[in-house]
Amino acid sequence: MRTLIALVADTFQEARARWLFWGLFALSTLLILIFLFVLQIDLAAGAITFLGIETTTRRIYSIQKFVNVSYSWVSIALYVWGTFLAVFASAGLIPSVLEAGRIALLLSKPLRRTSLLLGRYVGNMLIVSLNHIYLVLGVWIILGLKTHIWAPRFLLAIPVSIFLFAVLLSVVVLVGVVSESAALSVMAPVGLSLISVLLAQHKLVIRLLGSEWSRQLWMFFYWILPKVFDLGTAMRQAILFDRHAVWLAPIWTSAAFGIIVLAGALHIFQKRDF
Amino acid sequence: MTGDFAIETYGLEKIYRSRWSAREIRAVSSVSLRVPAGVKYGLLGANGAGKTTFVKLLLTAVHPTQGEAKLFGRDAREPEARRPVGYLPENHRFPTYLTGYGMLDFYGALSGVEARERKRRIPEFLELVGLKDWAEVRIKKYSKGMLQRLGLAQALLHRPKLLILDEPTDGVDPVGRREIRRVLDGLKEQGVTVFINSHLLSEVESFCEYVAILRSGRVAVEGKISNLLAGRGYRVTASDVPAAALADIRQSGASILPADEGVTIQVTTREEANVVIDKIRAAGGEIESVAASTSSLEDLFMKTAHPDKAA
């Protein structure tokens, strides 16, 4: 436990020294301030007028609906913003620990290689989780104070974003362990996320694909890769109280992907010479 | 008893294979070494002889292709086997975002030293290596010599029983060298086994009691420096000596070197030389020559590591 705490603390210190920690929080603060500014110009009232909501009963219902719709889209924005920013911030933290002269000393200590890598993973997760909580809570409080409508479901953006980041961080770790390249460690999860968004359009695409094998190939990749798009959609639907939100499949397939990739990274790290 | 040895290796071998071709590099080849606990042991070899790979094999940064390594009788692959080991790597890269104090605190925690104990020991060790006033300065501002001394403090903080130093004075100025030497001399009384991997012969000659010289990944020479060094003994060159007789001679404390005619056996006294001659003749070997030896460690090194350049 002492070892894990030391490794997590070291990850924090490195993130702080490289300005990643403060950079993340500064950008999140900037986004919160932008929300504050946007709401200062009474966007909500403007939109209500623009939509022509007049009668009192209908107006209350419509404001509620409008706020929920706004919350759902803001949650998506935070989900995308927070996750990708976190991936960019984390990419260098794995290769840096594998630098020759640094890793040899770490491996000479009485700790397992898995502990070393997991320490870095947990450290990264904590940094990003703190940032996600700060960002989403900040925006939620501003929206709540302005609209007087407190939508606790908006806070779903916290666990969903953290979960997605945990999955993508496993890719960062794997690519970092194999290539020791920070650039590649960013490119891989970002590219994977974009492909995932594309694969999520399977209902439309399989109708367009001409052969059975290509349809099966599409679905194969859809099922094995993390569901970045589906998770975001499910979160948005849940915020809108939509009963059709599909959680189970995106969560377990993404979790399975993350666990397998992280296990692969640990296995390669165990076998590597430094 | 196996625990009497700080380091034991049996047929340790490392072959680096290229990922994309059939090319192989044999960095360490069938190295069997035993380093008794409490001694100062030097590992010598030319650049690329396999010294650093050997050390990395001991500390499991590199996995062996074959063979095994033990630290105080425990399989070196077990994390607990590395607990009594302090290590200062060659070309280290300590995290530059840490202060001297922070660096010792981090590596001390990884070595299993309790927080309260670290708080007590860190100022003590910073003072030992002459860096007390630099405790709160980020190590990116440290000179090479200061980094080496800090690295040494890091390796000593958990009071190891075995200290492995890979080129500890490389790139360090004479003043820094003297500081490191002072610290290492202080360990002699504490019974710490010191294993130095170096290409500085004078350093090894003056500090170590035992030495091994690696050539192309193999142990070319191994033994007590006092036996290996000339001017203090006799050199018996013999041929056709059976392996069992050589093992018997080695066990009696003599050092054995390969020679053109067969082997050269170095002993300290005339009586030992006579015993060795008797053993060789009893085993059916031929004595080629017997001479008082007059070489230095440098001669030995040149003859062993660079036989083509030896005078």
Side-chain angles (χ1 to χ4, degrees):
Chain A
M1 198 57 177
R2 186 191 301 129
T3 307
L4 188 69
I5 292 169
L7 290 166
V8 169
D10 180 56
T11 313
F12 263 84
Q13 275 182 309
E14 184 169 351
R16 223 176 47 182
R18 287 171 173 240
W19 290 90
L20 298 173
F21 189 81
W22 299 120
L24 264 181
F25 277 85
L27 285 168
S28 298
T29 306
L30 185 69
L31 196 67
I32 291 169
L33 290 174
I34 288 171
F35 266 94
L36 199 60
F37 174 73
V38 166
L39 291 172
Q40 210 50 43
I41 58 174
D42 237 344
L43 194 72
I48 290 161
T49 313
F50 178 75
L51 291 171
I53 301 162
E54 283 162 11
T55 60
T56 312
T57 320
R58 215 178 133 205
R59 180 186 162 106
I60 291 165
Y61 169 76
S62 300
I63 290 174
Q64 178 82 52
K65 193 174 177 189
F66 169 74
V67 170
N68 282 340
V69 170
S70 305
Y71 271 133
S72 73
W73 284 110
V74 169
S75 73
I76 289 288
L78 299 187
Y79 171 75
V80 174
W81 166 277
T83 305
F84 285 100
L85 220 58
V87 167
F88 287 122
S90 308
L93 291 176
I94 298 297
S96 73
V97 87
L98 303 179
E99 286 173 343
R102 186 168 173 188
I103 186 71
L105 182 55
L106 287 169
L107 294 177
S108 76
K109 300 296 173 191
L111 53 99
R112 297 192 179 280
R113 287 189 176 202
T114 45
S115 308
L116 179 59
L117 206 58
L118 286 176
R120 277 264 138 176
Y121 183 88
V122 172
N124 268 7
M125 280 303 303
L126 280 178
I127 292 167
V128 168
S129 299
L130 282 177
N131 182 60
H132 275 314
I133 291 168
Y134 170 68
L135 176 65
V136 177
L137 264 183
V139 171
W140 182 67
I141 289 169
I142 286 168
L143 285 172
L145 287 174
K146 187 67 192 173
T147 61
H148 301 291
I149 295 171
W150 298 91
R153 285 191 172 219
F154 176 72
L155 299 178
L156 265 175
I158 296 174
V160 176
S161 302
I162 292 173
F163 172 74
L164 178 66
F165 177 70
V167 174
L168 294 181
L169 185 60
S170 66
V171 180
V172 171
V173 173
L174 177 68
V175 176
V177 165
V178 172
S179 70
E180 295 180 29
S181 159
L184 212 58
S185 300
V186 173
M187 284 156 64
V190 171
L192 206 64
S193 302
L194 295 176
I195 291 170
S196 157
V197 172
L198 201 65
L199 289 170
Q201 313 312 314
H202 58 91
K203 281 180 186 156
L204 170 70
V205 175
I206 55 174
R207 277 187 282 160
L208 302 174
L209 290 172
S211 60
E212 185 56 29
W213 73 265
S214 56
R215 281 194 284 271
Q216 281 186 359
L217 190 68
W218 190 279
M219 290 310 290
F220 170 75
F221 281 115
Y222 168 72
W223 281 111
I224 63 162
L225 293 179
K227 312 282 179 290
V228 179
F229 182 84
D230 294 11
L231 279 169
T233 306
M235 177 182 69
R236 202 178 64 79
Q237 288 174 325
I239 291 171
L240 288 170
F241 293 89
D242 185 340
R243 287 180 184 173
H244 298 104
V246 180
W247 283 110
L248 197 61
I251 285 180
W252 83 257
T253 52
S254 301
F257 174 87
I259 290 166
I260 290 168
V261 169
L262 190 60
L266 289 170
H267 178 73
I268 292 168
F269 187 59
Q270 285 273 27
K271 300 282 171 199
R272 265 200 68 176
D273 290 330
F274 292 96
Chain B
M1 202 175 81
T2 192
D4 294 342
F5 293 98
I7 298 171
E8 292 166 271
T9 66
Y10 300 98
L12 205 59
E13 192 160 291
K14 180 63 189 177
I15 301 170
Y16 288 108
R17 294 190 170 92
S18 167
R19 206 178 284 182
W20 312 112
S21 70
R23 213 164 71 96
E24 284 186 353
I25 296 169
R26 196 175 285 266
V28 170
S29 190
S30 298
V31 172
S32 296
L33 270 188
R34 279 175 161 200
V35 176
V39 304
K40 318 295 168 219
Y41 199 105
L43 183 66
L44 295 172
N47 289 336
K51 304 189 299 291
T52 295
T53 303
F54 178 75
V55 168
K56 285 185 173 181
L57 282 165
L58 291 180
L59 297 168
T60 66
V62 165
H63 298 289
T65 308
Q66 225 177 336
E68 64 171 328
K70 289 183 174 181
L71 300 169
F72 293 103
R74 293 185 82 148
D75 189 332
R77 289 172 299 180
E78 295 173 25
E80 278 307 306
R82 300 192 292 276
R83 193 171 292 280
V85 181
Y87 173 50
L88 175 63
E90 184 191 20
N91 300 325
H92 47 71
R93 288 194 70 167
F94 302 131
T96 52
Y97 49 86
L98 295 174
T99 62
Y101 188 100
M103 185 271 218
L104 292 186
D105 191 51
F106 172 56
Y107 287 109
L110 293 188
S111 299
V113 184
E114 299 279 353
R116 190 182 298 173
E117 196 56 26
R118 294 200 301 274
K119 211 169 180 179
R120 196 180 64 78
R121 284 189 203 174
I122 290 171
E124 181 191 317
F125 278 89
L126 282 169
E127 187 159 13
L128 178 75
V129 296
L131 293 171
K132 194 181 163 192
D133 296 336
W134 290 76
E136 296 307 326
V137 177
R138 284 206 180 176
I139 60 178
K140 65 179 170 192
K141 294 191 176 153
Y142 282 31
S143 69
K144 170 81 182 168
M146 290 162 77
L147 282 173
Q148 283 298 97
R149 282 185 278 144
L150 185 68
L152 191 59
Q154 167 278 135
L156 292 170
L157 191 75
H158 58 294
R159 303 201 195 284
K161 290 200 290 177
L162 166 64
L163 186 62
I164 298 178
L165 307 170
D166 199 348
E167 305 287 3
T169 55
D170 201 23
V172 180
D173 64 22
V175 179
R177 249 178 229 184
R178 184 181 285 183
E179 279 291 304
I180 291 172
R181 182 68 199 278
R182 183 182 57 78
V183 174
L184 294 181
D185 282 340
L187 296 173
K188 279 187 178 176
E189 292 83 52
Q190 296 168 28
V192 176
T193 311
V194 182
F195 187 88
I196 296 184
N197 176 5
S198 176
H199 60 257
L200 292 175
L201 301 176
S202 58
E203 193 172 85
V204 171
E205 189 172 354
S206 61
F207 184 73
C208 297
E209 298 149 0
Y210 288 80
V211 71
I213 300 178
L214 287 186
R215 185 176 67 203
S216 306
R218 288 178 185 277
V219 177
V221 169
E222 190 215 347
K224 256 188 160 176
I225 293 186
S226 57
N227 287 343
L228 290 169
L229 282 192
R232 299 173 202 170
Y234 295 84
R235 185 173 281 178
V236 179
T237 304
S239 58
D240 302 326
V241 188
L246 283 177
D248 184 30
I249 291 166
R250 186 180 282 119
Q251 213 161 29
S252 67
S255 301
I256 301 172
L257 293 82
D260 295 340
E261 302 90 345
V263 289
T264 297
I265 298 153
Q266 181 75 41
V267 289
T268 317
T269 64
R270 194 168 57 185
E271 289 72 31
E272 285 173 350
N274 283 323
V275 170
V276 166
I277 291 166
D278 290 345
K279 282 183 179 174
I280 291 170
R281 296 187 69 166
E286 293 288 334
I287 303 295
E288 300 290 342
S289 66
V290 180
S293 48
T294 53
S295 68
S296 65
L297 186 59
E298 189 173 338
D299 292 330
L300 177 70
F301 178 78
M302 290 304 288
K303 193 173 176 187
T304 314
H306 298 285
D308 50 323
K309 292 177 187 164

